[in-house]
Amino acid sequence: MRVVYRGLAVIGLVVAAAATLVAVLPSGPDEVAAGPVTAPPAAPSSSGPAPSTAAPPSVSSTPTAEATPSPGPSLAPGYTAMEALYADPRVPRLTGRIKRMSLASPSRKVVKDRRSGLAVPDLPKPWKSYGAAPFTTKQVLPKTRAGVRGIFVTCPLPIMRQKSPRNTALLAARWTLNHHPKGSRITWLASQPVKNGWMLVYRVKYGKHQSRAAVVVMDGGMSKPGLAFVTVPDSQRKQWRDISRVVAGVRVLG
């Protein structure tokens, strides 16, 4: 009997030890090394900051400067494309004071871009056709000593289409800053509707230099509108006159 009692005592000690071990260990692997978790800040929306259960600030409910989308190729979370445009210091507001420009007769000699559905002027010498990629058509001026030169390209619209052609053209002009030197800023020179779209002519300043540029956004009947973009640096200012040829000569391919 003593042997039986000793065996029962041993079993009781093992059960007690197991119960103690279960009480000490976590109930699941997710609890191991778990610490306090803080929720990420809510992304601002176009109508203001996201609602919160905390008491509202006593000063103002306006989003802080840190929440403003910064210039760049990607869109800040929670902002529309137009809000990002208005927050970009490189692109001023387009007001009604910006003048229209008289357009010359369109050129008879054209380059056809079947992907964008546009026909654009085939510019005279010293312009020449060049390897188009990543665009669909491309014409260039000779390179200068500084390594820059005028370019004239077309392609399907590379940014999100907006409800109005004017806003779409504004976003396209902002996008073209990717093809100008770092630190470039826009000054508007002309803005007006064209058949099936909108055109903008502007100056791009960078340091002591500048370029003249223009965009034409036009619906060519494709899945996306077509974009025509031309820019000419001040080292080739004699060809600034060709910018008016471009904006006057873009039309729907037909």
Side-chain angles (χ1 to χ4, degrees):
M1 291 298 291
R2 290 180 180 178
V3 174
V4 173
Y5 288 141
R6 288 177 182 175
L8 291 174
V10 171
I11 292 172
L13 290 173
V14 171
V15 171
T20 304
L21 183 61
V22 170
V24 172
L25 291 177
S27 61
D30 290 341
E31 294 181 14
V32 178
V37 178
T38 57
S45 67
S46 58
S47 58
S52 173
T53 55
S58 58
V59 287
S60 172
S61 59
T62 305
T64 60
E66 287 77 15
T68 303
S70 59
S74 60
L75 188 61
Y79 284 89
T80 67
M82 293 307 296
E83 285 173 330
L85 172 75
Y86 295 143
D88 193 334
R90 305 172 301 170
V91 185
R93 293 279 183 139
L94 182 60
T95 67
R97 292 180 297 175
I98 304 302
K99 299 180 180 180
R100 294 189 177 198
M101 63 182 293
S102 58
L103 301 180
S105 299
S107 173
R108 293 183 179 180
K109 193 175 181 181
V110 299
V111 174
K112 297 179 180 180
D113 180 357
R114 300 191 183 280
R115 282 190 60 199
S116 64
L118 301 182
V120 298
D122 186 359
L123 297 175
K125 291 181 179 181
W127 292 91
K128 65 177 182 179
S129 296
Y130 196 74
F135 307 100
T136 47
T137 73
K138 185 176 183 180
Q139 300 175 57
V140 299
L141 289 171
K143 279 188 178 180
T144 63
R145 291 182 179 179
V148 297
R149 58 177 166 183
I151 62 169
F152 173 31
V153 298
T154 63
C155 62
L157 190 68
I159 47 92
M160 186 180 297
R161 183 179 191 173
Q162 303 300 297
K163 290 183 179 179
S164 76
R166 177 182 178 274
N167 286 349
T168 304
L170 283 169
L171 290 177
R174 179 180 186 246
W175 173 84
T176 65
L177 290 177
N178 296 326
H179 299 277
H180 287 100
K182 187 177 180 180
S184 296
R185 288 176 173 260
I186 283 176
T187 301
W188 302 118
L189 300 177
S191 170
Q192 63 202 68
V194 292
K195 188 176 181 180
N196 300 316
W198 200 275
M199 57 142 280
L200 294 168
V201 180
Y202 48 101
R203 179 188 302 115
V204 183
K205 296 194 70 175
Y206 39 91
K208 296 181 180 180
H209 295 280
Q210 62 174 290
S211 293
R212 294 288 174 90
V215 292
V216 179
V217 173
M218 187 173 290
D219 188 347
M222 302 299 175
S223 58
K224 286 186 173 184
L227 171 68
F229 161 52
V230 59
T231 180
V232 180
D234 52 10
S235 56
Q236 296 176 318
R237 65 180 67 236
K238 289 183 179 180
Q239 265 56 57
W240 280 355
R241 61 193 176 195
D242 293 329
I243 293 176
S244 61
R245 293 184 182 182
V246 169
V247 296
V250 180
R251 60 178 174 80
V252 172
L253 183 61

